[in-house]
């Protein structure tokens, strides 16, 4: 092998510590496994495109992970954990080279009980759901990358998704019950965190422990119908989304609202998305379709697409046009487009930004539950010109009371958190005293 990034490490000696664990040393493969979807951001592109790990390890068990951790500590080699590598902000891109620990071989489902499951981190969310649905349950929320993304990666780097209109965000109490993590101390050990303690590693970008097991809550697996409703007027579509979100009697999993011209980017749905109309992409419990039609009538919408769950399960789900897949489709038509992540809090603010930015920041809303209330969050599609203009757009939102979870930074605290999380920092001090885990990502640690 020809490791390039960390010159001073005796890689042959390092590798000899890992006998029996699958390794990848081919530079092309390593390059592939060093990157994620950071390229959605024109700001991150030049900063991350040349970052590479030196070696990929693919442990199959927690005991393997302990051995990898011990070797990294012994040789002071950085370690970056990677699930499926679908993160958007270079979360699993190794800034300082070293080992990439790929979790995808750790994909056991230990047990599924009514409402709760225990899994290894590398289980793909779609694979898990297929199994869980046999028992009448499913993951409470999934990102639109659920077909490839891992459960551990969602906890390490995700925030919310399809299902969040009912269950809120990952960080909400109750959405993660327990984790086991491996430390990078002189003698690596396994630590179990339960209850509120899980927040120490929840959305920490793998900077403070390698998650080896998780207990995650489930929701009832309704047969989900998929529906597209189109509207002449964008704010009517947005108000329809809000009312659907507030309708406690209507069981739903997804309320995704798109201002024209965003629907024009959904090539595969073209025949259901008339020119110049704004659309709602929805997942509604089949049993609620009849009362749901009343709501559509009330808002003057037109249903152009409706599939019951069984039909919907055969093709591509509408879910794969929502959340950040909207950006994926838009960028596949026009790669210069980028996006923002925004809490508008109110529809008045949505309208203000819709009128102010027009086509420059096209509005895509996802409704999610925040402290018990349905709230519009934005994943606006932005016509990128310069970083300066992007920052102006961000500042305008912030000055006017919106909250931007900036997707154009790989720094943990500069994204959605905005503040240093002392719990996560203290836990890092305990479990990663040499600062080997995903170095360069946790500002609190770097600026101590
Ligand atoms: C098109 C598109 C759509 C998306 N939609 C959504 C969405 O709807 N909602 C959403 O929240 N995100 C979304 N994302 C981001 C991402 O897909 C999800 O967060 C996904 O769950 C990440 O899973 P992964 O396995 O790919 O994680 P990775 O990208 O591999 O890792 C994510 C982070 O978690 C850390 N990590 C991974 N495994 C572990 C572990 N075992 N222990 C500790 N740390 C670990 C990594 O180091 C990294 O920092 C989207 C991304 C794209 C490209």
């Amino acid at each position: 092998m020809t490791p390039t990034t960390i010159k001073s490490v005796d890689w042959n000696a390092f590798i000899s510590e890992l006998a029996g664990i699958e390794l990848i040393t081919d530079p092309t493969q390593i390059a592939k496994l060093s990157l994620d979807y950071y390229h959605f951001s024109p700001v991150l592109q030049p900063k991350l495109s040349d970052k590479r790990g030196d070696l990929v390890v693919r442990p199959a068990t927690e005991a393997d992970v302990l051995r990898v951790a011990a070797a990294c500590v012994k040789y002071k080699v950085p370690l970056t954990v990677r699930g499926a590598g679908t993160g958007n902000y270079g979360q699993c891109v190794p800034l300082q080279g070293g080992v990439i620990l790929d979790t995808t071989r750790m994909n056991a489902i230990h047990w599924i009980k009514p409402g709760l499951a225990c899994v290894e981190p590398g289980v793909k969310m779609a694979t898990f759901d297929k199994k869980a649905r046999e028992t009448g349950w499913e993951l409470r929320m999934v990102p639109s990358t659920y077909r490839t993304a891992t459960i551990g990666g969602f906890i390490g780097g995700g925030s919310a998704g399809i299902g969040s209109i009912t269950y809120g965000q990952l960080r909400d109490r109750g959405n993660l019950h327990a984790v086991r993590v491996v430390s990078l101390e002189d003698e690596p050990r396994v630590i179990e965190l339960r209850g509120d303690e899980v927040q120490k590693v929840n959305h920490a970008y793998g900077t403070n422990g390698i998650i080896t097991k998780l207990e995650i809550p489930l929701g009832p697996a309704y047969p989900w119908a998929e529906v597209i409703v189109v509207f002449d007027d964008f704010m009517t579509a947005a108000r329809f989304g809000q009312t659907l979100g507030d309708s406690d009697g209507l069981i739903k999993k997804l309320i995704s609202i798109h201002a024209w011209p965003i629907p024009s980017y959904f090539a595969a749905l073209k025949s259901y998305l008339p020119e110049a109309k704004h659309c709602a992409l929805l997942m509604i419990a089949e049993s609620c379709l009849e009362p749901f039609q009343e709501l559509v009538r009330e808002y003057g919408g037109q249903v152009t697409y409706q599939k019951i769950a069984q039909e919907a399960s055969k093709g591509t789900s509408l879910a794969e046009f929502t959340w950040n897949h909207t950006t994926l489709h838009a960028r596949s038509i026009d790669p210069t487009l980028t996006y923002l992540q925004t809490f508008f809090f109110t529809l008045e603010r949505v309208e203000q930004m819709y009128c102010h930015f027009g086509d420059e920041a096209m509005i895509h809303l996802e409704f999610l539950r925040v402290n018990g209330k349905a709230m519009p969050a934005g994943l606006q599609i932005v016509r990128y010109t310069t970083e300066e203009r992007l920052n102006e757009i961000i500042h305008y939102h912030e000055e006017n009371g919106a909250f931007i979870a900036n997707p154009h930074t790989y720094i943990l605290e500069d994204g959605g958190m905005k503040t240093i999380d002392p719990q996560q920092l203290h836990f890092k001090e305990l479990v990663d005293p040499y600062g080997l885990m995903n170095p360069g990502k946790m500002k609190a640690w770097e600026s101590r």
Side-chain angles (χ1 to χ4, degrees), residues 209-389:
I210 307 162
I211 300 170
T212 52
K213 208 190 232 190
L214 308 97
E215 277 179 40
I216 38 164
L218 308 175
Y222 290 93
W224 298 110
E226 302 195 355
V227 185
I228 299 179
V229 189
V230 299
F231 298 85
D232 292 334
D233 168 65
F234 172 66
M235 282 313 296
T236 306
R239 284 187 199 101
F240 164 85
Q242 181 71 56
T243 306
L244 176 57
D246 292 338
S247 299
D248 295 337
L250 295 178
I251 301 164
K252 57 265 170 190
K253 192 171 177 183
L254 175 69
I255 307 176
S256 182
I257 310 288
H258 304 263
W260 183 267
I262 295 176
S264 70
Y265 299 127
F266 302 152
L269 300 175
K270 197 173 171 20
S271 37
Y272 312 102
L273 298 168
E275 182 80 13
K277 300 249 187 189
H278 313 274
C279 73
L281 307 185
L282 309 165
M283 290 173 79
I284 311 281
E286 253 175 48
S287 59
C288 293
L289 281 175
E290 192 183 339
F292 165 75
Q293 301 297 341
E294 305 286 350
L295 180 69
V296 175
R297 254 194 297 280
E298 194 180 313
Y299 279 83
Q302 184 198 348
V303 174
T304 56
Y305 175 104
Q306 183 170 307
K307 283 190 175 174
I308 58 164
Q310 209 191 1
E311 287 166 2
S313 67
K314 286 178 195 145
T316 303
S317 168
L318 288 187
E320 290 186 68
F321 294 87
T322 68
W323 289 84
N324 222 8
H325 264 71
T326 304
T327 317
L328 179 86
H329 290 287
R331 282 176 49 77
S332 72
I333 305 280
D334 178 355
T336 65
L337 297 172
T338 188
Y339 73 117
L340 284 177
Q341 302 178 136
T342 308
F343 275 104
F344 289 106
F345 303 110
T346 65
L347 285 185
E348 288 69 34
R349 204 165 282 121
V350 170
E351 188 161 22
Q352 181 192 354
M353 299 303 162
Y354 178 63
C355 296
H356 185 81
F357 289 108
D359 224 28
E360 190 181 11
M362 298 169 257
I363 299 214
H364 157 203
L365 297 178
E366 295 293 341
F367 280 88
L368 71 166
R369 206 168 173 82
V370 180
N371 297 326
K373 294 192 178 65
M375 198 177 273
L379 284 150
Q380 307 98 304
I381 303 288
V382 177
R383 292 191 193 282
Y384 183 77
T385 45
T386 61
E387 187 173 349
E388 196 186 9
R389 177 59 189 154

Side-chain angles (χ1 to χ4, degrees), residues 93-284:
V93 175
L95 298 180
Q96 297 174 19
V99 162
I100 294 168
L101 187 150
D102 174 329
T103 63
T104 52
R105 287 187 72 203
M106 296 180 68
N107 57 8
I109 298 172
H110 292 300
W111 46 258
I112 300 174
K113 296 179 191 167
L116 198 62
C118 180
V119 297
E120 286 187 338
V123 183
K124 291 198 183 308
M125 305 183 94
T127 309
F128 173 83
D129 260 354
K130 196 162 173 233
K131 187 102 188 124
R133 281 197 191 110
E134 290 168 10
T135 70
W137 296 87
E138 65 182 10
L139 290 167
R140 285 183 171 183
M141 69 191 79
V142 293
S144 56
T145 46
Y146 60 92
R147 280 208 281 164
T148 45
T150 64
I151 295 182
F154 192 41
I155 297 300
S159 53
I162 298 129
S164 287
I165 183 57
T166 304
Y167 297 105
Q169 299 173 79
L170 273 179
R171 64 164 176 239
D172 290 326
R173 180 181 284 148
N175 280 335
L176 173 63
H177 283 217
V179 285
R180 273 163 77 93
V181 294
V182 164
S183 73
L184 263 74
E185 296 161 282
D186 284 321
E187 283 191 22
R189 62 187 161 130
V190 177
I191 300 170
E192 180 164 297
L193 303 172
R194 306 195 68 86
D196 283 356
E197 296 237 296
V198 298
Q199 303 304 353
K200 291 176 177 173
V201 297
N202 195 355
H203 197 77
Y205 291 7
T207 55
N208 60 6
I210 307 162
I211 300 170
T212 52
K213 208 190 232 190
L214 308 97
E215 277 179 40
I216 38 164
L218 308 175
Y222 290 93
W224 298 110
E226 302 195 355
V227 185
I228 299 179
V229 189
V230 299
F231 298 85
D232 292 334
D233 168 65
F234 172 66
M235 282 313 296
T236 306
R239 284 187 199 101
F240 164 85
Q242 181 71 56
T243 306
L244 176 57
D246 292 338
S247 299
D248 295 337
L250 295 178
I251 301 164
K252 57 265 170 190
K253 192 171 177 183
L254 175 69
I255 307 176
S256 182
I257 310 288
H258 304 263
W260 183 267
I262 295 176
S264 70
Y265 299 127
F266 302 152
L269 300 175
K270 197 173 171 20
S271 37
Y272 312 102
L273 298 168
E275 182 80 13
K277 300 249 187 189
H278 313 274
C279 73
L281 307 185
L282 309 165
M283 290 173 79
I284 311 281

Side-chain angles (χ1 to χ4, degrees), residues 196-197 199-204 207-208 412-413 417-431 442-445 448:
D196 283 356
E197 296 237 296
Q199 303 304 353
K200 291 176 177 173
V201 297
N202 195 355
H203 197 77
T207 55
N208 60 6
L412 178 60
E413 294 92 334
M417 286 165 61
K418 305 293 178 210
T419 52
I420 282 170
D421 181 337
Q423 259 206 121
Q424 291 192 345
L425 174 62
H426 292 152
F427 195 61
K428 183 169 174 76
E429 285 167 346
L430 177 76
V431 301
M442 189 193 269
K443 188 153 99 183
W445 174 269
R448 282 171 318 152

